[in-house]
Amino acid sequence: MRKIVRMRFKRSELLYDIANVAFVEGDVMPELMQHNKHLTQDITQKGNVDRVTRIMNVVVEECRMLLLPFTKTIIENDIKVDNVLNIKEEYEIDLSVPENFPKGSVDYIAKLIHEFIVARVLHDWFLITNIEKANTWGMRATKYLDDIKNTANKRLTVLTRPLRPF
């Protein structure tokens, strides 16, 4: 028996965290980098937010692929895919998990996915505006990604070994 878990990630919450971190990172930049400071802080402004949206869309799909054993859905009809900017107010990831999948793991994975999306967007943006911080956020994204994998792949049942008296 399996259960369906629907994880929802509000675009507004993701953008808030992204903008907040970018503002702080820009605020602590040296005085010599004033132009880069405003570019760093303007991550969610008109025009720039389109790039952020595309990266968020990619990262959510990356999470679905990462959780493939739980997210696999079969294509039933012909589909058409294009590259038109798709702005969603909410991202959803549906998981089909075993009945004994721990709720704590689901909560933890959802929090990690939120942080992973934020870190990946910041990494992408800082590759343009603040290369020194790009590496930091790239490493954070990798850590969140590893934590998602490890949590999703943890053994769900107790491992038993047969007893051998001799």
Side-chain angles (χ1 to χ4, degrees), residues 1-7 69-73 92-99 101 106:
M1 188 75 146
R2 298 188 72 78
K3 294 187 175 186
I4 302 299
V5 174
R6 175 162 288 154
M7 294 185 198
F70 304 110
T71 60
K72 185 168 38 174
T73 56
E92 290 183 355
I93 298 176
D94 292 338
L95 306 177
S96 174
V97 298
E99 196 170 85
F101 199 85
V106 170

Side-chain angles (χ1 to χ4, degrees), residues 45-160:
Q45 299 303 311
K46 188 176 179 177
N48 297 343
V49 75
D50 295 343
R51 176 69 187 161
V52 169
T53 299
R54 287 188 188 278
I55 297 302
M56 285 195 301
N57 292 347
V58 167
V59 176
V60 169
E61 292 307 320
E62 183 178 355
C63 290
R64 284 193 184 102
M65 294 301 294
L66 175 69
L67 297 166
L68 195 58
F70 304 110
T71 60
K72 185 168 38 174
T73 56
I74 306 301
I75 298 173
E76 295 180 7
N77 298 318
D78 294 343
I79 62 170
K80 181 180 172 183
V81 179
D82 58 39
N83 67 339
V84 175
L85 180 61
N86 185 2
I87 300 174
K88 299 179 180 183
E89 292 306 312
E90 206 171 72
Y91 295 96
E92 290 183 355
I93 298 176
D94 292 338
L95 306 177
S96 174
V97 298
E99 196 170 85
N100 64 340
F101 199 85
K103 182 185 181 309
S105 293
V106 170
D107 292 340
Y108 186 52
I109 290 170
K111 287 173 176 51
L112 288 170
I113 289 173
H114 175 96
E115 295 301 328
F116 178 60
I117 294 168
V118 170
R120 280 288 309 278
V121 167
L122 289 167
H123 175 252
D124 180 78
W125 189 253
F126 291 159
L127 283 171
I128 300 166
T129 66
N130 190 352
I131 197 75
E132 292 174 14
K133 289 298 181 171
N135 294 330
T136 301
W137 286 95
M139 288 188 295
R140 284 186 184 195
T142 300
K143 166 105 174 63
Y144 294 133
L145 184 66
D146 290 343
D147 289 349
I148 293 166
K149 287 179 193 175
N150 292 337
T151 303
N153 294 326
K154 277 187 181 169
R155 186 181 303 275
L156 300 176
T157 58
V158 177
L159 177 63
T160 58

